[in-house]
Amino acid sequence: SAVISQKPSRDICQRGTSLTIQCQVDSQVTMMFWYRQQPGQSLTLIATANQGSEATYESGFVIDKFPISRPNLTFSTLTVSNMSPEDSSIYLCSTRAGAETQYFGPGTRLLVL
Amino acid sequence: GENVEQHPSTLSVQEGDSAVIKCTYSDSASNYFPWYKQELGKRPQLIIDIRSNVGEKKDQRIAVTLNKTAKHFSLHITETQPEDSAVYFCAALKAAGNKLTFGGGTRVLVKP
């Protein structure tokens, strides 16, 4: 299985600012995903990060709020822009090994004041 | 799109007893069903999965069953231990699609 790391592991931010979360995988992967997990809730897919093209966003998530980069097959970033307290959540990077099996990074715990 | 419902939302069992979590899915094209365990403050960890050409799969104390006709699948944990306490998520993946759809999660508490 792929080893996935994320930076930062946690952060406390002021409203109106932006935070960029980095995801690094130890092997080349075709598919990378970004999820949000609000306290006590399930995992919600924000977008699929596509290498060499724009990310594919799920309903309710827009590029202006959550810009994503995927410069190569081992790295992606998610930016949470113009943050508000409602953005306080855990953000998880995920990759798929082969066609199906999906693994998750350790997550980034974000608190917006 | 696919919709996955998971029950119960919380489950409390005595150590040594069995725990069963059930999920239903809506899209008959889904053919891969993983289960994740998430301990407090940790990432979701894949614990077992099943594909639609198999009816049951077992790995030590955990097993998963799949009923394609009824579109439901279940996780069974036998001889529960305190370390089984966690939130469990079921999920479904469509054959030709890319999106893994998650259930709402079940918080399992194993009482010693």
Side-chain angles (χ1 to χ4, degrees), chain B residues 6-22 35-40 47 61-62 75-90 104-112:
Chain B
Q6 184 172 345
H7 298 282
S9 57
T10 60
L11 180 60
S12 182
V13 297
Q14 207 66 40
E15 182 177 359
D17 289 348
S18 295
V20 180
I21 304 170
K22 298 181 179 181
W35 285 87
Y36 290 86
K37 174 184 180 182
Q38 187 176 32
E39 297 176 78
L40 191 62
I47 56 171
R61 294 187 299 107
I62 60 173
L75 179 71
H76 304 253
I77 307 173
T78 58
E79 301 172 23
T80 53
Q81 301 168 5
E83 52 265 37
D84 295 328
S85 296
V87 179
Y88 292 80
F89 294 99
C90 65
T106 298
R107 186 173 300 276
V108 174
L109 175 63
V110 180
K111 295 180 288 185

Side-chain angles (χ1 to χ4, degrees), chain A residues 37 42 96 100 102 109, chain B residues 36 38 41 43 51 98 103:
Chain A
Q37 187 176 30
S42 186
R96 198 169 288 168
E100 299 164 331
Q102 196 160 323
R109 292 177 174 273
Chain B
Y36 290 86
Q38 187 176 32
R43 74 185 80 190
R51 291 169 177 81
N98 292 335

Side-chain angles (χ1 to χ4, degrees), chain A residues 70-92:
Chain A
R70 178 90 193 270
N72 56 52
L73 293 175
T74 64
F75 186 79
S76 178
T77 67
L78 169 75
T79 299
V80 187
S81 303
N82 188 25
M83 289 184 286
S84 67
E86 292 71 37
D87 294 320
S88 298
S89 191
I90 300 172
Y91 293 86
L92 293 145

